Amino acid sequence: PVAIVTNAVWKAIAAGNSHTLAVRDDGALWAWGSNARGQLGDGSIVRRWHPVPVDLAPVWQAVAAGAAHSVAIQKDG
């Protein structure tokens, strides 16, 4: 098991084939796992074993993940 972020509360989470996305209750977007096709959205193709921030702006509300892609929607739609 991996501890995600101490004292974090998650309001949305999605799992793809080999990566995961999560939105914290403060609206920040995090991701981890396989990143061979850039599906983590952090601008790299480096595998991330632990959660990394994709966007700490408090604007995210929902996430979805597929085989090798990710999508997220902001609070304003």
Side-chain angles (χ1 to χ4, degrees):
V2 174
I4 300 181
V5 174
T6 305
N7 299 326
V9 175
W10 302 94
K11 69 176 184 177
I13 192 163
N17 281 359
S18 57
H19 69 290
T20 304
L21 309 168
V23 178
R24 282 193 328 208
D25 66 341
D26 65 1
L29 179 60
W30 293 69
W32 62 100
S34 174
N35 196 23
R37 297 176 194 252
Q39 62 266 46
L40 299 186
D42 68 352
S44 77
I45 56 169
V46 175
R47 176 183 298 271
R48 305 296 183 173
W49 295 108
H50 302 286
V52 294
V54 176
D55 187 353
L56 294 177
V59 298
W60 301 99
Q61 73 173 353
V63 288
H69 68 280
S70 302
V71 294
I73 188 165
Q74 293 183 344
K75 291 178 183 177
D76 64 2

